[in-house]
Amino acid sequence: QSEDVWVWQTLSDLYEWEGMAADARGVLERGLARLPGDAGLLERLARVARAGNDPLAAAAVFASYNEKHPADALGVWYEALCRFDAAVGELLALGAEQAKLRSEAADQSAETLATLPAPDAALVAGIEEGFARSEALFRDARARRPEYETSSRGYEVMCRDGVGWARYWERDFP
């Protein structure tokens, strides 16, 4: 139950190196309960949470942290990053699926191309919502901490671009 950040960092690093991500995450969450807002612990928590290759689960880790520490801009920034990762992954999967459909039909008639199925509207809406939520969180983080201005704005632009690409796949068919 130390107040020394080194203890929490070192213990989480040891668990992480041994491939015990859940234990590392638990140590980091306990450390952040005692030392909220510590940038080193939050960075480690982001690394451990994102290593699971489930960006929405990683976002949930930070959403939980942010509920307990609503004034912490860095926690909000990391939640935004995880939600961005999730939206990008979904967009890439959608794009790959639609590109495959087009390439398989590329040497067929215009009538055949016109019959290609459009992507599921709920899927596209979910991708748009993911990017919009991420953008709102990045905007919130930079409003709380001016030093996040550059990184947050960069991601905000990419979120808008992601929405555009989702709409492209939805509407520009064939």
PDB file of all heavy atoms in Angstrom, residues 36 62-76 140 144:
ATOM      1  N   PRO A  36      -3.800   8.992  -8.094  1.00  0.00           N
ATOM      2  CA  PRO A  36      -4.532   9.317  -9.325  1.00  0.00           C
ATOM      3  C   PRO A  36      -3.809  10.387 -10.141  1.00  0.00           C
ATOM      4  O   PRO A  36      -3.190  11.295  -9.595  1.00  0.00           O
ATOM      5  CB  PRO A  36      -5.884   9.822  -8.823  1.00  0.00           C
ATOM      6  CG  PRO A  36      -5.693  10.160  -7.394  1.00  0.00           C
ATOM      7  CD  PRO A  36      -4.540   9.334  -6.891  1.00  0.00           C
ATOM      8  N   PHE A  62     -10.451   2.734 -19.192  1.00  0.00           N
ATOM      9  CA  PHE A  62     -10.289   4.165 -18.949  1.00  0.00           C
ATOM     10  C   PHE A  62     -11.604   4.859 -18.628  1.00  0.00           C
ATOM     11  O   PHE A  62     -11.625   5.823 -17.861  1.00  0.00           O
ATOM     12  CB  PHE A  62      -9.557   4.828 -20.122  1.00  0.00           C
ATOM     13  CG  PHE A  62      -8.086   4.563 -20.044  1.00  0.00           C
ATOM     14  CD1 PHE A  62      -7.516   3.550 -20.777  1.00  0.00           C
ATOM     15  CD2 PHE A  62      -7.285   5.283 -19.176  1.00  0.00           C
ATOM     16  CE1 PHE A  62      -6.168   3.264 -20.675  1.00  0.00           C
ATOM     17  CE2 PHE A  62      -5.935   5.012 -19.059  1.00  0.00           C
ATOM     18  CZ  PHE A  62      -5.373   4.000 -19.815  1.00  0.00           C
ATOM     19  N   ALA A  63     -12.707   4.378 -19.170  1.00  0.00           N
ATOM     20  CA  ALA A  63     -14.009   4.940 -18.806  1.00  0.00           C
ATOM     21  C   ALA A  63     -14.257   4.735 -17.316  1.00  0.00           C
ATOM     22  O   ALA A  63     -14.724   5.643 -16.620  1.00  0.00           O
ATOM     23  CB  ALA A  63     -15.112   4.307 -19.639  1.00  0.00           C
ATOM     24  N   SER A  64     -13.896   3.552 -16.817  1.00  0.00           N
ATOM     25  CA  SER A  64     -14.040   3.267 -15.384  1.00  0.00           C
ATOM     26  C   SER A  64     -13.131   4.183 -14.561  1.00  0.00           C
ATOM     27  O   SER A  64     -13.548   4.742 -13.547  1.00  0.00           O
ATOM     28  CB  SER A  64     -13.706   1.796 -15.124  1.00  0.00           C
ATOM     29  OG  SER A  64     -13.715   1.525 -13.743  1.00  0.00           O
ATOM     30  N   TYR A  65     -11.887   4.325 -14.999  1.00  0.00           N
ATOM     31  CA  TYR A  65     -10.952   5.220 -14.310  1.00  0.00           C
ATOM     32  C   TYR A  65     -11.497   6.650 -14.307  1.00  0.00           C
ATOM     33  O   TYR A  65     -11.457   7.342 -13.286  1.00  0.00           O
ATOM     34  CB  TYR A  65      -9.575   5.168 -14.988  1.00  0.00           C
ATOM     35  CG  TYR A  65      -8.614   6.192 -14.447  1.00  0.00           C
ATOM     36  CD1 TYR A  65      -7.917   5.965 -13.264  1.00  0.00           C
ATOM     37  CD2 TYR A  65      -8.424   7.405 -15.100  1.00  0.00           C
ATOM     38  CE1 TYR A  65      -7.057   6.915 -12.750  1.00  0.00           C
ATOM     39  CE2 TYR A  65      -7.561   8.359 -14.589  1.00  0.00           C
ATOM     40  CZ  TYR A  65      -6.879   8.115 -13.414  1.00  0.00           C
ATOM     41  OH  TYR A  65      -6.030   9.064 -12.904  1.00  0.00           O
ATOM     42  N   ASN A  66     -12.019   7.090 -15.459  1.00  0.00           N
ATOM     43  CA  ASN A  66     -12.505   8.468 -15.574  1.00  0.00           C
ATOM     44  C   ASN A  66     -13.734   8.723 -14.713  1.00  0.00           C
ATOM     45  O   ASN A  66     -13.940   9.847 -14.254  1.00  0.00           O
ATOM     46  CB  ASN A  66     -12.779   8.806 -17.042  1.00  0.00           C
ATOM     47  CG  ASN A  66     -11.502   8.849 -17.853  1.00  0.00           C
ATOM     48  OD1 ASN A  66     -10.424   9.111 -17.329  1.00  0.00           O
ATOM     49  ND2 ASN A  66     -11.615   8.572 -19.137  1.00  0.00           N
ATOM     50  N   GLU A  67     -14.548   7.699 -14.488  1.00  0.00           N
ATOM     51  CA  GLU A  67     -15.688   7.852 -13.578  1.00  0.00           C
ATOM     52  C   GLU A  67     -15.214   8.145 -12.162  1.00  0.00           C
ATOM     53  O   GLU A  67     -15.822   8.943 -11.445  1.00  0.00           O
ATOM     54  CB  GLU A  67     -16.547   6.588 -13.576  1.00  0.00           C
ATOM     55  CG  GLU A  67     -17.399   6.416 -14.805  1.00  0.00           C
ATOM     56  CD  GLU A  67     -18.193   5.120 -14.777  1.00  0.00           C
ATOM     57  OE1 GLU A  67     -18.310   4.490 -13.707  1.00  0.00           O
ATOM     58  OE2 GLU A  67     -18.706   4.736 -15.842  1.00  0.00           O
ATOM     59  N   LYS A  68     -14.118   7.502 -11.774  1.00  0.00           N
ATOM     60  CA  LYS A  68     -13.582   7.690 -10.422  1.00  0.00           C
ATOM     61  C   LYS A  68     -12.746   8.962 -10.298  1.00  0.00           C
ATOM     62  O   LYS A  68     -12.606   9.505  -9.197  1.00  0.00           O
ATOM     63  CB  LYS A  68     -12.722   6.484 -10.039  1.00  0.00           C
ATOM     64  CG  LYS A  68     -13.491   5.191  -9.964  1.00  0.00           C
ATOM     65  CD  LYS A  68     -12.554   4.013  -9.801  1.00  0.00           C
ATOM     66  CE  LYS A  68     -13.326   2.722 -10.017  1.00  0.00           C
ATOM     67  NZ  LYS A  68     -12.500   1.657 -10.527  1.00  0.00           N
ATOM     68  N   HIS A  69     -12.189   9.415 -11.425  1.00  0.00           N
ATOM     69  CA  HIS A  69     -11.294  10.586 -11.422  1.00  0.00           C
ATOM     70  C   HIS A  69     -11.694  11.519 -12.564  1.00  0.00           C
ATOM     71  O   HIS A  69     -10.948  11.673 -13.537  1.00  0.00           O
ATOM     72  CB  HIS A  69      -9.840  10.136 -11.562  1.00  0.00           C
ATOM     73  CG  HIS A  69      -9.443   9.085 -10.583  1.00  0.00           C
ATOM     74  ND1 HIS A  69      -9.199   9.365  -9.254  1.00  0.00           N
ATOM     75  CD2 HIS A  69      -9.299   7.745 -10.707  1.00  0.00           C
ATOM     76  CE1 HIS A  69      -8.905   8.243  -8.621  1.00  0.00           C
ATOM     77  NE2 HIS A  69      -8.963   7.245  -9.476  1.00  0.00           N
ATOM     78  N   PRO A  70     -12.850  12.142 -12.453  1.00  0.00           N
ATOM     79  CA  PRO A  70     -13.380  12.918 -13.580  1.00  0.00           C
ATOM     80  C   PRO A  70     -12.553  14.145 -13.970  1.00  0.00           C
ATOM     81  O   PRO A  70     -12.711  14.658 -15.078  1.00  0.00           O
ATOM     82  CB  PRO A  70     -14.773  13.332 -13.104  1.00  0.00           C
ATOM     83  CG  PRO A  70     -14.732  13.212 -11.624  1.00  0.00           C
ATOM     84  CD  PRO A  70     -13.736  12.147 -11.293  1.00  0.00           C
ATOM     85  N   ALA A  71     -11.677  14.601 -13.114  1.00  0.00           N
ATOM     86  CA  ALA A  71     -10.882  15.787 -13.443  1.00  0.00           C
ATOM     87  C   ALA A  71      -9.590  15.446 -14.182  1.00  0.00           C
ATOM     88  O   ALA A  71      -8.866  16.354 -14.599  1.00  0.00           O
ATOM     89  CB  ALA A  71     -10.548  16.565 -12.162  1.00  0.00           C
ATOM     90  N   ASP A  72      -9.297  14.176 -14.380  1.00  0.00           N
ATOM     91  CA  ASP A  72      -8.023  13.763 -14.966  1.00  0.00           C
ATOM     92  C   ASP A  72      -8.086  13.783 -16.493  1.00  0.00           C
ATOM     93  O   ASP A  72      -8.686  12.916 -17.117  1.00  0.00           O
ATOM     94  CB  ASP A  72      -7.651  12.362 -14.478  1.00  0.00           C
ATOM     95  CG  ASP A  72      -6.235  11.983 -14.851  1.00  0.00           C
ATOM     96  OD1 ASP A  72      -5.667  12.569 -15.789  1.00  0.00           O
ATOM     97  OD2 ASP A  72      -5.687  11.087 -14.198  1.00  0.00           O
ATOM     98  N   ALA A  73      -7.461  14.771 -17.102  1.00  0.00           N
ATOM     99  CA  ALA A  73      -7.480  14.926 -18.560  1.00  0.00           C
ATOM    100  C   ALA A  73      -6.737  13.803 -19.271  1.00  0.00           C
ATOM    101  O   ALA A  73      -7.121  13.397 -20.363  1.00  0.00           O
ATOM    102  CB  ALA A  73      -6.881  16.275 -18.949  1.00  0.00           C
ATOM    103  N   LEU A  74      -5.672  13.291 -18.676  1.00  0.00           N
ATOM    104  CA  LEU A  74      -4.901  12.245 -19.343  1.00  0.00           C
ATOM    105  C   LEU A  74      -5.705  10.946 -19.437  1.00  0.00           C
ATOM    106  O   LEU A  74      -5.647  10.251 -20.453  1.00  0.00           O
ATOM    107  CB  LEU A  74      -3.570  12.001 -18.628  1.00  0.00           C
ATOM    108  CG  LEU A  74      -2.584  11.063 -19.323  1.00  0.00           C
ATOM    109  CD1 LEU A  74      -2.291  11.514 -20.762  1.00  0.00           C
ATOM    110  CD2 LEU A  74      -1.291  10.967 -18.516  1.00  0.00           C
ATOM    111  N   GLY A  75      -6.480  10.635 -18.430  1.00  0.00           N
ATOM    112  CA  GLY A  75      -7.353   9.469 -18.510  1.00  0.00           C
ATOM    113  C   GLY A  75      -8.367   9.612 -19.634  1.00  0.00           C
ATOM    114  O   GLY A  75      -8.641   8.662 -20.364  1.00  0.00           O
ATOM    115  N   VAL A  76      -8.906  10.818 -19.798  1.00  0.00           N
ATOM    116  CA  VAL A  76      -9.848  11.088 -20.885  1.00  0.00           C
ATOM    117  C   VAL A  76      -9.141  10.930 -22.229  1.00  0.00           C
ATOM    118  O   VAL A  76      -9.690  10.335 -23.167  1.00  0.00           O
ATOM    119  CB  VAL A  76     -10.452  12.507 -20.742  1.00  0.00           C
ATOM    120  CG1 VAL A  76     -11.269  12.886 -21.971  1.00  0.00           C
ATOM    121  CG2 VAL A  76     -11.297  12.597 -19.476  1.00  0.00           C
ATOM    122  N   ASP A 140     -12.472  17.227 -25.203  1.00  0.00           N
ATOM    123  CA  ASP A 140     -12.591  17.402 -23.764  1.00  0.00           C
ATOM    124  C   ASP A 140     -11.204  17.409 -23.105  1.00  0.00           C
ATOM    125  O   ASP A 140     -10.927  18.240 -22.231  1.00  0.00           O
ATOM    126  CB  ASP A 140     -13.465  16.290 -23.184  1.00  0.00           C
ATOM    127  CG  ASP A 140     -13.719  16.442 -21.697  1.00  0.00           C
ATOM    128  OD1 ASP A 140     -13.633  17.562 -21.159  1.00  0.00           O
ATOM    129  OD2 ASP A 140     -14.015  15.413 -21.047  1.00  0.00           O
ATOM    130  N   ARG A 144      -9.379  20.591 -21.045  1.00  0.00           N
ATOM    131  CA  ARG A 144      -8.926  20.486 -19.658  1.00  0.00           C
ATOM    132  C   ARG A 144      -7.436  20.808 -19.507  1.00  0.00           C
ATOM    133  O   ARG A 144      -7.030  21.330 -18.475  1.00  0.00           O
ATOM    134  CB  ARG A 144      -9.160  19.072 -19.134  1.00  0.00           C
ATOM    135  CG  ARG A 144     -10.603  18.678 -19.029  1.00  0.00           C
ATOM    136  CD  ARG A 144     -10.707  17.223 -18.670  1.00  0.00           C
ATOM    137  NE  ARG A 144     -12.056  16.739 -18.725  1.00  0.00           N
ATOM    138  CZ  ARG A 144     -12.546  15.868 -17.865  1.00  0.00           C
ATOM    139  NH1 ARG A 144     -11.805  15.391 -16.896  1.00  0.00           N
ATOM    140  NH2 ARG A 144     -13.787  15.460 -17.981  1.00  0.00           N
TER     141      ARG A 144
END
